[in-house]
Amino acid sequence: MTIRKIATIGHPVLRQRSREITREELASEATQRFIDDLIETMRDASGAGLAAPQVYEPIRIVAVEVKKNARYPYKPDIPLTVLVNPVIEALTDETFDNYEGCLSVPNLRGVVARATEVRLRAWDRHGNDVDTVVRGLSAGTFQHECDHLDGAVFLDRVKDTHTLSTWTDFERFHMAAFVERARALVERYGS
Ligand code: ZN
């Protein structure tokens, strides 16, 4: 396994629509190795998720995993999930204000409205169908990663630029209030 370089904002690979991959491609050794690298890179960078274009591969694959995450200590755990060609659909108009960060947008966080409940349809890394509903704070993580596949980053969805903050100032000025809101959400949805 190889830890890959992460593309940062300004690189065109983050701004294009990534392409679907075929079952044959998915089954190939190269793609399976790539998925291992994607997971390894996500873990190495303490990301809650990582999308293939963030490591310069414009294909529709994302990995998500939260396990007592150091970057996001308030996030509930999410078991390792690899989604191939995911289709995400909001199941409600209800949103919550999520304070997001991104490995491709160094040292910046901002508030983004995310649906509290989404349906995800995809393949797993072995080509098996995935059809699942994710709620609460975890729903935001999946929306963030799927956005990357369409060339969007969280900054595009920040409505109030006054919420933008460095990581240090997030901890100093915004984290306490956000964690309180996040806890209420996690309590309500269990995720
Ligand atoms: Zn991101």
Side-chain angles (χ1 to χ4, degrees):
M1 277 179 281
T2 312
I3 293 173
R4 303 231 180 174
K5 199 172 165 225
I6 295 176
T8 50
I9 185 98
H11 196 289
V13 73
L14 294 172
R15 290 318 205 163
Q16 69 186 82
R17 185 184 185 278
S18 293
R19 65 172 180 83
E20 275 81 10
I21 70 165
T22 64
R23 281 188 185 278
E24 291 68 33
E25 268 182 290
L26 178 59
S28 73
E29 208 179 298
T31 305
Q32 290 297 315
R33 242 194 337 253
F34 170 73
I35 291 171
D36 289 337
D37 290 354
L38 186 70
I39 294 166
E40 206 54 27
T41 306
M42 168 180 71
R43 288 177 174 163
D44 179 71
S46 299
L50 196 61
Q54 290 183 276
V55 290
Y56 302 88
E57 291 286 346
I59 54 177
R60 300 184 84 78
I61 301 179
V62 302
V64 169
E65 182 181 49
V66 179
K67 221 171 17 181
K68 291 181 187 45
N69 189 291
R71 272 164 64 89
Y72 306 100
Y74 50 83
K75 274 188 197 262
D77 286 358
I78 303 173
L80 176 64
T81 307
V82 173
L83 299 175
V84 179
N85 299 335
V87 175
I88 190 164
E89 173 197 354
L91 294 179
T92 171
D93 291 333
E94 197 186 329
T95 61
F96 66 99
D97 286 340
N98 196 25
Y99 235 116
E100 300 195 6
C102 179
L103 292 170
S104 294
V105 183
N107 201 21
L108 204 57
R109 303 191 57 153
V111 171
V112 179
R114 294 294 189 185
T116 53
E117 195 174 350
V118 295
R119 180 178 183 189
L120 286 164
R121 277 170 287 185
W123 294 331
D124 68 14
R125 66 180 294 172
H126 306 296
N128 301 310
D129 287 331
V130 176
D131 186 347
T132 187
V133 173
V134 183
R135 299 182 179 86
L137 205 59
S138 301
T141 305
F142 283 96
Q143 288 165 80
H144 176 116
E145 295 312 325
C146 289
D147 270 355
H148 278 299
L149 303 181
D150 292 326
V153 297
F154 80 91
L155 293 174
D156 305 336
R157 295 187 184 272
V158 170
K159 280 205 196 80
D160 181 358
T161 52
H162 291 88
T163 65
L164 291 174
S165 173
T166 63
W167 280 69
T168 302
D169 285 328
F170 170 73
E171 280 169 21
R172 283 173 72 194
F173 300 113
H174 307 289
M175 186 156 167
F178 176 64
V179 166
E180 208 169 294
R181 285 210 318 273
R183 283 225 178 93
L185 194 73
V186 171
E187 246 164 61
R188 184 171 154 202
Y189 291 100
S191 55

